[in-house]
Amino acid sequence: MLRKEAYVHKNVMEELKRIIDENEITKEDDALWPPPDPVSQQELEITIGDEHISFTTSKIGSLDVNQPKNPESLRVSYYLAQDLKCLVFSLIAIDFKIKPT
């Protein structure tokens, strides 16, 4: 497991919360998703205020989201993770490319 720590402005946190709220991932249930296996798994953990939600499934690709018993729920999770990853990688790229003189 890789863990990194970063500090961001409150506006970034508000945008992350907005993305999560609009995505409505908190209304989903991972009970019908493919169970994680010992070799690979994906986990999404969200803590906002007193609310704590954790989803776990086997490692999935974009084509795998249509196969489980509840494909829409897994698709919501997959695209949320992709959106969050893009945002975070963009913020990291900006930090390393733009340096004040």
Side-chain angles (χ1 to χ4, degrees):
M1 177 186 296
L2 298 176
R3 285 189 183 239
K4 300 293 180 184
E5 187 172 312
Y7 297 93
V8 295
H9 193 271
K10 68 177 182 171
N11 292 344
V12 174
M13 290 305 297
E14 288 172 7
E15 181 63 14
L16 287 169
K17 288 178 187 177
R18 186 193 65 76
I19 292 169
I20 291 167
D21 286 341
E22 282 187 6
N23 184 271
E24 297 183 339
I25 190 69
T26 57
K27 296 178 181 175
E28 301 299 336
D29 183 8
D30 64 353
L32 298 177
W33 296 1
D37 60 49
V39 177
S40 65
Q41 71 176 20
Q42 289 185 195
E43 184 176 351
L44 176 62
E45 187 171 356
I46 300 170
T47 304
I48 298 177
D50 293 336
E51 188 173 15
H52 179 261
I53 302 165
S54 181
F55 299 100
T56 306
T57 187
S58 62
K59 186 105 173 141
I60 56 172
S62 61
L63 299 177
D64 299 330
V65 297
N66 293 319
Q67 294 178 356
K69 295 176 184 173
N70 188 354
E72 185 59 33
S73 177
L74 186 59
R75 196 174 303 120
V76 166
S77 170
Y78 177 78
Y79 288 118
L80 172 63
Q82 295 302 312
D83 289 347
L84 295 176
K85 186 166 67 170
C86 286
L87 176 61
V88 169
F89 285 159
S90 296
L91 291 170
I92 291 169
I94 289 170
D95 183 55
F96 286 107
K97 288 182 182 175
I98 300 174
K99 296 290 181 190
T101 56

